[in-house]
Amino acid sequence: MVAETPRTKSLVLEIPGWEGHKAGQHVDVRLTAPDGYQAQRSYSIASAPEDERLVLTVDRLDDGEVSPYLTEVLMAGDKLELRGPIGGYFTWEATDNGPLLLVGGGSGVVPLMAMIRHRAAVGSAVPARLLYSSRSYEEIIYRKELEALAAQDGSLEVIHTLTRTRPEGWSGYSRRIDAELLGEVAWFPDESPLAFVCGPTPLVEAVGTALVGLGHEPARVKTERFGATGG
Amino acid sequence: MDDKLRLDGNAAAGTLGEVFSFEVTTAEYACNGCGRAGRLGGAMVYEVRELGTIVRCPSCDNALIRLAHNRERHMVDLRGMRYLTTG
């Protein structure tokens, strides 16, 4: 168990017989109560296919049924029931090329991080930009790792925007992601980037609509909405 | 339908995987309502916990797939699609 932010934890899992995954895929985690009641939720895989162990990063939703258990109760050594890897649509492999435009809100960064880690693990030179919206500096997941990866790799850019509170002297963006911000940050449509957008439904729909409005081909803009029923 | 409950086809991949033996999110469909063709991963999904899943066309909102859960069984209604290709 690795604490990423006050609200998110990464679960490092050892899965016998795991046959590997693609960056961007998720797993379904199922919990069964002693009385037989079951609750199931989907969580994105955060680790690269090349990593030895599977990592899920879970955001704790206070009124959730599954995430409070995974982040507060589960202990190292406990067993989990999961199904996966799932989904072949919202995935990226280094051979798919790019350039890559990754847009994430909150814990929507998790499947994008799997792509960034995969890209680094195979030494891909595909230019990549991550535009990442968080409420506050403290809530930026993987902040140090992203800094380190961007520092050693000139073709990876990480651009943050903080929507609620900013530390003193913050020089990054401080507004919600809209068409104007995407116009400043995104690749031009004629560079035919592959875009992956993941986060809460309103953010994903706003970004998806804005990218298509800027002239990006809809088939190259892939989205994954978290919805409001997570947890 | 509550917009906040809207998800991507990807979200239903686990459940649909209990019905189809191929990767459904990359499967191509044509909508019986408006004729739009696309991949199921890019369609809209509304999940009603423990009860069922509805996959809708992103253009016209027609229900492409209706899947109801009843204990260990699934009931699938595919009338909303003209065709569905494998994987």
Side-chain angles (χ1 to χ4, degrees):
Chain A
M1 311 282 301
V2 182
E4 302 281 1
T5 74
R7 273 190 14 187
T8 53
K9 273 190 185 159
S10 287
L11 319 180
V12 183
L13 305 172
E14 202 131 355
I15 306 179
W18 181 256
E19 287 178 4
H21 68 278
K22 289 182 193 168
Q25 287 188 304
H26 65 269
V27 296
D28 287 347
V29 176
R30 178 184 280 175
L31 301 180
T32 306
D35 67 359
Y37 174 75
Q38 292 190 324
Q40 181 177 297
R41 296 292 183 274
S42 299
Y43 294 100
S44 291
I45 299 171
S47 45
E50 294 75 16
D51 292 342
E52 214 163 284
R53 283 184 285 188
L54 193 83
V55 179
L56 307 179
T57 301
V58 179
D59 193 21
R60 189 189 72 239
L61 300 176
D62 293 329
D63 55 354
E65 281 189 322
V66 176
S67 65
Y69 176 83
L70 296 180
T71 53
E72 304 292 322
V73 182
L74 192 73
M75 309 244 286
D78 286 352
K79 288 189 176 172
L80 266 188
E81 184 181 350
L82 55 86
R83 169 171 72 180
I86 295 168
Y89 179 75
F90 194 86
T91 60
W92 181 76
E93 290 177 276
T95 47
D96 296 338
N97 286 318
L100 256 189
L101 174 65
L102 309 173
V103 184
S107 57
V109 75
V110 175
L112 310 179
M113 192 62 186
M115 297 177 191
I116 291 172
R117 285 170 166 164
H118 166 57
R119 187 181 160 282
V122 299
S124 161
V126 170
R129 268 178 209 163
L130 169 68
L131 174 57
Y132 180 11
S133 172
S134 308
R135 280 180 292 218
S136 67
Y137 189 72
E138 295 69 36
E139 287 180 74
I140 300 176
I141 308 170
Y142 314 127
R143 181 170 47 83
K144 288 191 177 144
E145 185 178 344
L146 285 169
E147 265 170 33
L149 284 169
Q152 58 182 244
D153 177 354
S155 55
L156 171 69
E157 290 173 78
V158 179
I159 302 137
H160 291 286
T161 183
L162 300 178
T163 57
R164 224 169 259 182
T165 56
R166 266 78 54 186
E168 221 166 289
W170 173 250
S171 57
Y173 288 104
S174 47
R175 59 181 205 254
R176 289 186 184 280
I177 301 175
D178 54 15
E180 194 191 331
L181 183 48
L182 287 165
E184 288 172 31
V185 167
W187 307 97
F188 293 113
D190 61 9
E191 295 170 288
S192 54
L194 263 176
F196 292 88
V197 186
C198 185
T201 300
L203 174 138
V204 169
E205 299 197 343
V207 171
T209 308
L211 285 174
V212 173
L214 287 166
H216 293 272
E217 200 185 315
R220 292 180 74 81
V221 178
K222 293 189 174 172
T223 58
E224 177 142 276
R225 295 162 174 82
F226 276 8
T229 57
Chain B
M1 212 38 102
D2 185 344
D3 283 355
K4 286 188 198 131
L5 299 178
R6 186 160 57 230
L7 299 168
D8 299 86
N10 224 11
T15 308
L16 293 175
E18 293 171 11
V19 177
F20 298 99
S21 64
F22 51 88
E23 168 57 54
V24 277
T25 57
T26 52
E28 278 185 35
Y29 69 90
C31 172
N32 216 359
C34 66
R36 179 190 210 271
R39 289 173 182 242
L40 276 181
M44 305 285 97
V45 164
Y46 298 85
E47 278 194 15
V48 185
R49 294 240 177 266
E50 324 303 337
L51 291 177
T53 301
I54 300 178
V55 183
R56 291 185 178 275
C57 172
S59 296
C60 73
D61 222 32
N62 168 49
L64 302 167
I65 300 177
R66 289 190 175 91
L67 192 147
H69 316 304
N70 184 359
R71 296 171 202 273
E72 297 298 304
R73 302 174 75 197
H74 293 309
M75 215 262 306
V76 193
D77 178 343
L78 304 173
R79 282 176 296 178
M81 291 183 291
R82 267 180 216 164
Y83 65 76
L84 181 67
T85 66
T86 54

